[in-house]
Amino acid sequence: MDITASGTFWQTPALPHLGPAEQPHGISAHMQASPRNQRACLGSSSSHGEFPLASNPSIVLHVLSECCLDPHDLARLEATCSFFKQPANYSPDTSLSLCELAALDMCMKRAVFKPMTTEEQDVMKKQCGGSWKLVLRFLKLGEQCYRRENCQAIAGPGHSVVVTKSGTVYTFGSSNCGQLGHGSFEEEWRPRLLRSLQGVRIIQATAGVGRTMLVSDTGRVYAFGKDSFGDSEYGGAGSKNISTPQLVQSLDGIFVVQAAIGNFFTAVLSREGRVYTFSWGADARLGHQTESQDQKPHPLKGALEDVPVVQIAAGYCYLLALTCQRGGMAVYSVGCGLGGKLGHGGRVDEHWPRLIEHFQQLQFQPVAVAAGAWHAGVVGQDGRVCTWGWGRYGCLGHGNEDCEHVPKVVESLVGVKAVHIATGDYTTFVVSDTGDVYSFGCGESSSLGHLSTATEGQANRHANILSPELVSSLKQRNEHVLQISLTNSVTWNAHTFALCESGKLYAFGAGDKGQLGIELLNNESERGTPDIVEIDLR
């Protein structure tokens, strides 16, 4: 995931700026005529830091330069919008600065914030640090993390899910547990519209072994496939298969914005930035003590109890959480520490969320996280990439197969400004700000896209890549790639999707179950070069 995309699903459209030629006349006279109800700007008592506020304020553009906003604060970019140019319809209120008032107004325009009660909004404000500007920052970061583009393609284990701009869903591939949601257990190689959810706008999807979950724009979650949250590879005793989308009733009262399926557990993120997990609570592995088949959500407490989370990523028996705090962004991890994938310098399990402190030593500001089966990756605000965990097949990109127990900068990507990272089973993809794609790790099933490095004697198999290499097969398409999704499972052959700025979706890798959405001929089981998936993403 990344955080620098310009177009997000819930983001308010760009509004016209108030230029010098458009400044309203007579402001000085209005200021002199309104000596009362003056509003201090961020506590400034100087004459140039105070501005009057009437019921219908008209504020000139240079007000913003007096507000001392953080230059990196997105609120500053939007605060010159029509809010200051048109009647605000607010009663005089000197308890909020103009910037706070503008931030609150922009929060109210967001679909996840507007329906909240006043009490819920105040709780969010307190959790974010007591400022509406910080709430706005939290909301925008969350939007860009859990829904990077207007469309989404998920390369699940043996099956695939595509969410279009309009919120419709297509599924294809294996349906042995009903995970395609079409009411049957038959494979589908051709992308098929999920008709049972027509009228419901889906904004995010996640796929695990034999299971699919969808999140709607109203915060409701639908699940189908294997209903067991036990052993996700084979299912637990008493589990059953559901072949059509069913509303997850246990999440009633929780407005969900993201779901993530790991092995032995599932996690969801609420609009308030709280994380809830299903199952895998035996021995308090995720901070709670429950049975393996427990299908009730349990809040992830400990260090994250009062810290707002903007993104979650689930791997093999562990969870990463990207947080947004007044002091900046941070990453917490919890679960199984095998291979060093928790990033704390060892292989010890963590039953409670723990801050990965090594980013501070690297002077690294994380803005997006990805959890592979046995390794993890993070993109920094400056475009650097860090990876850690089990380095088998070179999936960490450090030129070897060594394990790294703390985050380590991928030096061979220095000079490349990364905006997106995706991790799978011993594979990693990085997308740059120019739309170029780099991949490294396990080359089986052609999932890395490096057809030219095929190993002798292994038809349609690729050599492992120990350091990042440009995916030339995508580069030759002359496309600007925005998003990569790849299979994250230790038991299924991997495939990869590349979503492009043009709206085209490319697929390559394993297609033995129809998961590429492309018809394979002549007993083919995989596609070595990117091919277009025929789906209308509008």
Side-chain angles (χ1 to χ4, degrees), residues 108-266:
M108 291 297 298
K109 289 181 172 66
R110 297 184 132 68
V112 296
F113 185 86
K114 190 173 182 179
M116 299 175 68
T117 66
T118 302
E119 292 74 17
E120 290 172 335
Q121 293 172 0
D122 288 340
V123 170
M124 178 179 286
K125 179 182 179 182
K126 181 179 179 181
Q127 187 166 335
C128 289
S131 165
W132 292 122
K133 288 188 299 179
L134 294 177
V135 172
L136 180 62
R137 176 170 174 258
F138 163 73
L139 292 174
K140 292 173 74 69
L141 289 172
E143 291 165 3
Q144 295 172 338
C145 282
Y146 53 72
R147 180 64 190 242
R148 179 176 183 259
E149 302 300 333
N150 288 332
C151 307
Q152 187 182 33
I154 302 297
H159 74 289
S160 303
V161 185
V162 174
V163 181
T164 70
K165 183 178 180 180
S166 62
T168 57
V169 178
Y170 290 83
T171 60
F172 44 98
S174 173
S175 190
N176 62 316
C177 296
Q179 61 264 41
L180 297 187
H182 300 305
S184 71
F185 300 91
E186 298 180 0
E187 292 180 9
E188 299 268 357
W189 73 263
R190 195 187 306 273
R192 182 177 173 185
L193 178 66
L194 193 59
R195 298 187 181 280
S196 61
L197 285 180
Q198 285 187 306
V200 177
R201 192 176 190 184
I202 300 300
I203 62 164
Q204 193 257 339
T206 185
V209 176
R211 186 164 66 250
T212 304
M213 297 183 78
L214 306 174
V215 180
S216 76
D217 62 345
T218 59
R220 310 185 89 182
V221 179
Y222 298 84
F224 42 100
K226 192 162 44 189
D227 76 335
S228 168
F229 291 102
D231 188 333
S232 63
E233 303 296 338
Y234 305 106
S239 64
K240 59 182 179 179
N241 299 324
I242 300 172
S243 60
T244 56
Q246 302 292 320
L247 191 65
V248 181
Q249 300 287 351
S250 61
L251 286 170
D252 284 352
I254 300 174
F255 193 113
V256 175
V257 293
Q258 186 196 350
I261 298 176
N263 293 72
F264 303 98
F265 76 99
T266 296

Side-chain angles (χ1 to χ4, degrees), residues 218-418:
T218 59
R220 310 185 89 182
V221 179
Y222 298 84
F224 42 100
K226 192 162 44 189
D227 76 335
S228 168
F229 291 102
D231 188 333
S232 63
E233 303 296 338
Y234 305 106
S239 64
K240 59 182 179 179
N241 299 324
I242 300 172
S243 60
T244 56
Q246 302 292 320
L247 191 65
V248 181
Q249 300 287 351
S250 61
L251 286 170
D252 284 352
I254 300 174
F255 193 113
V256 175
V257 293
Q258 186 196 350
I261 298 176
N263 293 72
F264 303 98
F265 76 99
T266 296
V268 297
L269 176 65
S270 77
R271 64 181 171 186
E272 296 84 8
R274 293 192 176 95
V275 181
Y276 298 82
T277 59
F278 296 85
S279 189
W280 212 53
D283 300 324
R285 287 190 179 96
L286 289 178
H288 55 81
Q289 185 73 39
T290 62
E291 298 298 325
S292 61
Q293 300 301 314
D294 186 10
Q295 298 186 28
K296 295 181 180 179
H298 295 269
L300 193 60
K301 297 186 177 180
L304 290 181
E305 194 164 357
D306 296 312
V307 176
V309 175
V310 295
Q311 184 197 352
I312 54 176
Y316 197 93
C317 304
Y318 76 107
L319 180 72
L320 299 180
L322 177 66
T323 66
C324 171
Q325 304 174 65
R326 181 182 288 273
M329 310 288 283
V331 180
Y332 290 75
S333 62
V334 62
C336 173
L338 185 64
K341 59 181 181 277
L342 296 185
H344 302 303
R347 303 184 181 187
V348 179
D349 295 350
E350 297 290 341
H351 293 176
W352 301 92
R354 180 180 172 187
L355 174 68
I356 301 179
E357 299 178 351
H358 194 67
F359 288 119
Q360 298 175 4
Q361 298 181 29
L362 297 175
Q363 296 183 336
F364 189 96
Q365 181 75 234
V367 293
V369 299
W374 302 100
H375 72 293
V378 170
V379 172
Q381 189 176 53
D382 57 6
R384 288 184 295 167
V385 172
C386 277
T387 59
W388 67 94
W390 199 353
R392 192 177 183 186
Y393 305 124
C395 63
L396 300 184
H398 301 307
N400 54 49
E401 297 188 48
D402 297 341
C403 292
E404 298 292 342
H405 295 167
V406 294
K408 181 178 180 179
V409 175
V410 181
E411 295 295 343
S412 56
L413 284 175
V414 172
V416 174
K417 183 175 176 57

